[in-house]
């Protein structure tokens, strides 16, 4: 009996039909993603290491990462992303709580102020800031009319104009994720901590801030990725005085006719964005 059982052929389990069906549904989407995203990025990486004579070279990366001028350009992009993200967070975090506590028509109006700017393109909003900040623009006109200044102040084509415009344009991408988390925050957690003797400082940093961290991480990832790779905003608000990776890529392709160098700059910019997204995913992962 035992020998018969041992000598019986082993029956392999049948394939999981649910998994095969799920893969069949997902396969077209994976194919589209591969063609639309993966293939262009692979071509970009290939061009960045391609020598004009047909060989493989790292000269483009050596030039980009080994020259003080281009290292300064990389820092300009990082600085723009960091300052825009920090200021947008400082404005959006308390605004998200105010929006979550608003009721009725007031909440609708406040939400509209966040959503409506998203309907306009970045170019339109950047041009609007050039109209406001130029020498004969609205801000200088009002300041002169009320007697605060006598002559127009130079505002356009300055780093201050760049940061102000970038914060204004990318602010909704910080405020909305934080608001989505704050709106679901249960106020009883803070009340329970206060009942147990926690000070307002402890309640905020030990209860409220950790609970709103997912929204903060999402907003930081969005705003930093958008601002560090912005092209239109620096071009219109500061011009040649503040070169960034995005403007360098455009010049390499459109003016200098150096696709290899432009592709290398694009790969570096992509790597920065990937690092930010990866860190955000790591921080937002719940501890086991």
């Amino acid at each position: 009996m035992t020998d018969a059982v041992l000598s019986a052929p082993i029956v392999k389990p049948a394939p999981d039909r649910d998994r095969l069906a799920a893969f069949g549904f997902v396969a077209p989407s994976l194919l589209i993603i591969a063609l639309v995203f993966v293939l262009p990025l692979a071509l970009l990486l290939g061009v960045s290491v391609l020598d004009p004579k047909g060989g493989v070279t790292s000269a483009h990366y050596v030039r980009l990462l080994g020259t003080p001028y281009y290292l300064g350009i990389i820092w300009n992009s990082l600085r723009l992303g960091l300052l825009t993200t920090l200021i947008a967070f400082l404005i959006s975090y308390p605004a998200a709580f105010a929006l979550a506590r608003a009721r009725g028509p007031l909440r609708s109006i406040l939400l509209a102020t966040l959503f409506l700017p998203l309907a306009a393109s970045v170019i339109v909003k950047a041009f609007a800031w050039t109209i406001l900040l130029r020498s004969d623009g609205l801000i200088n006109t009002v300041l002169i009319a009320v007697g605060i200044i006598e002559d127009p102040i130079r505002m356009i084509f300055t780093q201050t104009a760049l940061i102000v415009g970038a914060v204004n344009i990318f602010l909704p991408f910080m405020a909305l994720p934080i608001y989505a988390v704050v709106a679901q925050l249960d106020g009883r957690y803070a009340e329970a901590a206060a009942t147990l003797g926690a000070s307002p400082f402890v309640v905020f940093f030990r209860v409220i801030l950790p609970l709103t961290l997912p929204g903060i991480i999402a907003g930081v990832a969005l705003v930093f990725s958008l601002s560090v790779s912005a092209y239109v905003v620096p071009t219109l608000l500061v011009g040649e005085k503040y070169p960034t990776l995005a403007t360098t890529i455009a010049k390499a392709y459109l003016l200098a006719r150096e696709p290899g160098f432009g592709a290398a700059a694009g790969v570096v910019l992509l790597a920065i964005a990937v690092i930010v997204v990866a860190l955000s995913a790591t921080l937002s992962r719940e501890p086991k």
Side-chain angles (χ1 to χ4, degrees):
M1 182 68 179
T2 304
D3 295 337
V5 173
L6 294 175
S7 61
I10 299 175
V11 180
K12 295 182 179 181
D16 191 341
R17 294 183 178 180
D18 293 337
R19 292 184 179 180
L20 291 177
F23 179 77
F25 283 112
V26 174
S29 300
L30 294 177
L31 180 61
I32 293 174
I33 292 175
L35 293 176
V36 177
F37 293 101
V38 178
L39 181 60
L41 293 178
L43 293 175
L44 181 70
L45 181 60
V47 173
S48 68
V49 296
L50 187 64
D51 188 85
K53 298 180 180 180
V56 177
T57 180
S58 61
H60 302 306
Y61 290 98
V62 173
R63 176 185 172 190
L64 181 65
L65 301 176
T67 306
Y69 173 74
Y70 291 111
L71 288 176
I73 289 178
I74 295 174
W75 169 243
N76 285 345
S77 297
L78 292 173
R79 181 173 178 270
L80 174 61
L82 291 172
L83 287 177
T84 303
T85 303
L86 177 61
I87 298 173
F89 168 72
L90 294 177
I91 296 173
S92 299
Y93 196 76
F97 280 89
L99 183 58
R101 294 181 179 180
R103 295 293 181 268
L106 179 59
R107 174 181 284 190
S108 301
I109 294 173
L110 293 177
L111 284 173
T113 60
L114 286 177
F115 281 106
L116 288 179
L118 298 176
S121 68
V122 176
I123 298 177
V124 173
K125 289 182 282 190
F127 266 118
W129 274 105
T130 62
I131 296 173
L132 289 173
L133 297 176
R134 64 190 183 188
S135 298
D136 58 345
L138 179 61
I139 296 178
N140 271 312
T141 302
V142 172
L143 292 177
I144 293 174
V146 298
I148 297 178
I149 60 175
E150 296 181 358
D151 298 319
I153 299 175
R154 182 186 176 89
M155 298 181 183
I156 195 68
F157 300 124
T158 62
Q159 294 186 23
T160 302
L162 172 61
I163 299 300
V164 171
V167 170
N168 173 262
I169 291 172
F170 299 123
L171 186 66
F173 298 98
M174 177 71 74
L176 290 174
I178 297 177
Y179 164 72
V181 175
V182 172
Q184 301 176 3
L185 189 64
D186 193 342
R188 291 176 296 180
Y189 290 114
E191 294 177 0
T195 302
L196 294 174
S199 64
F201 182 85
V202 174
V203 170
F204 176 75
F205 282 99
R206 299 293 298 273
V207 179
I208 296 177
L209 187 61
L211 291 175
T212 57
L213 193 59
I216 297 173
I217 293 172
V220 167
L222 281 172
V223 173
F224 183 83
S225 299
L226 290 172
S227 56
V228 78
S229 60
Y231 171 72
V232 174
V233 180
T235 301
L236 294 179
L237 295 182
V238 74
E240 300 289 338
K241 295 183 178 180
Y242 196 88
T244 61
L245 276 174
T247 57
T248 301
I249 294 169
K251 288 180 181 178
Y253 275 100
L254 302 177
L255 299 178
R257 303 296 181 183
E258 296 179 335
F261 183 73
V267 171
V268 171
L269 186 58
L270 177 64
I272 294 173
V274 170
I275 290 172
V276 171
V277 173
L279 288 175
S280 301
T282 302
L283 292 174
S284 61
R285 191 177 304 163
E286 295 183 359
K288 296 182 179 180

